[in-house]
Amino acid sequence: MITPEAAPIGVLIADDDPLVRAGLVMMLGGAPDIRVLAQAGDGAEALAMAGRARPHVVLMDIRMPVMDGLAATEALRARDGAPEVIVLTTFDADEHVLRALRAGAAGFLLKDTPPAEIVDAIRRVAAGHPVLSPAVTRRLIARVAEDGQDRRRARAAERLALLNDREREVAVAVGRGGPNAEIGASLHLSVPTVKTHVSSILAKLGLNNRVQIALLVHDAGLLDDTTQ
């Protein structure tokens, strides 16, 4: 994680369309705190380039030759000191976006997102804040065909069993889309205490961000349980 004030945010663009890459390079060139370090035309090249250029953020297309963006995201996020990944999508395959989020992507952007919003998303992700809100996550999940739901629920419940009761309450609140202040008010906790619990949840469960907490809580079926 970096702050925009500390140093330029290094970006790697991975897309098989040269025109898309050129457009993104031109657009990001207008942001003084963002620097495009490298470009890649497929997922395998993105992995190699990321190792050499050491970007803070990768803009990753989904459909690319050799290795697609989903496989590249999974491989990249498994590395030590991995950059954050923002998946570029046309939103025509929700299950692909969901897989990318489960792999640790910080969120997704539509390819027709206004330039100012893309720049803002890069800044937010570089600062450690996912660009996909929990509310959008829930809407996305609701549109995905749930094959193997029982197995997923059992696996999710097993992982959540690692949490203590208070951490579980905070995890469910995160899954319902609450910001730290709202979670603190509902659970009678201070905001710093909520942040501490969220950090503990991420560490115990081996997750990267709040989006993954929301996905796990959803898989466990806790968002439909009003007693939680």
Side-chain angles (χ1 to χ4, degrees):
M1 182 197 310
I2 67 167
T3 59
E5 297 82 2
I9 302 167
V11 174
L12 166 65
I13 298 171
D15 196 295
D16 65 333
D17 188 335
L19 291 178
V20 171
R21 295 200 305 271
L24 288 170
V25 169
M26 183 177 300
M27 179 194 71
L28 297 178
D33 57 335
I34 295 175
R35 181 185 304 163
V36 177
L37 301 179
Q39 303 178 48
D42 60 66
E45 188 179 9
L47 292 178
M49 288 287 188
R52 292 196 294 268
R54 308 292 293 175
H56 302 105
V57 177
V58 177
L59 294 180
M60 184 81 76
D61 188 20
I62 289 181
R63 292 184 176 89
M64 294 186 290
V66 184
M67 174 185 287
D68 66 31
L70 298 175
T73 295
E74 291 172 342
L76 191 58
R77 290 300 299 168
R79 294 177 175 178
D80 292 334
E84 299 292 348
V85 177
I86 298 175
V87 172
L88 295 168
T89 179
T90 55
F91 208 69
D92 61 345
D94 292 350
E95 70 277 7
H96 289 172
V97 179
L98 186 61
R99 177 182 159 193
L101 295 175
R102 293 190 193 282
F108 71 89
L109 294 174
L110 303 182
K111 286 193 173 181
D112 60 357
T113 298
E117 293 183 21
I118 294 178
V119 171
D120 180 63
I122 291 172
R123 289 171 177 154
R124 288 176 58 195
V125 166
H129 306 297
V131 297
L132 180 66
S133 71
V136 174
T137 301
R138 291 199 303 272
R139 187 169 71 249
L140 175 65
I141 295 170
R143 296 173 62 180
V144 177
E146 291 291 347
D147 296 328
Q149 183 176 9
D150 291 341
R151 290 193 301 275
R152 260 195 308 277
R153 178 166 294 199
R155 288 195 298 267
E158 183 178 355
R159 292 186 68 187
L160 289 172
L162 297 172
L163 306 180
N164 61 40
D165 290 343
R166 180 59 86 182
E167 289 167 345
R168 181 184 173 93
E169 290 176 336
V170 171
V172 172
V174 169
R176 288 180 175 144
N180 289 338
E182 181 180 311
I183 293 172
S186 66
L187 298 179
H188 307 291
L189 299 172
S190 68
V191 171
T193 299
V194 173
K195 291 181 179 178
T196 298
H197 283 311
V198 171
S199 295
S200 178
I201 292 166
L202 293 172
K204 284 187 176 181
L205 301 181
L207 303 177
N208 292 288
N209 53 50
R210 296 168 74 102
V211 172
Q212 288 185 311
I213 295 176
L215 290 170
L216 190 62
V217 169
H218 171 273
D219 282 351
L222 299 182
L223 296 184
D224 298 326
D225 187 348
T226 57
T227 66
Q228 295 296 327

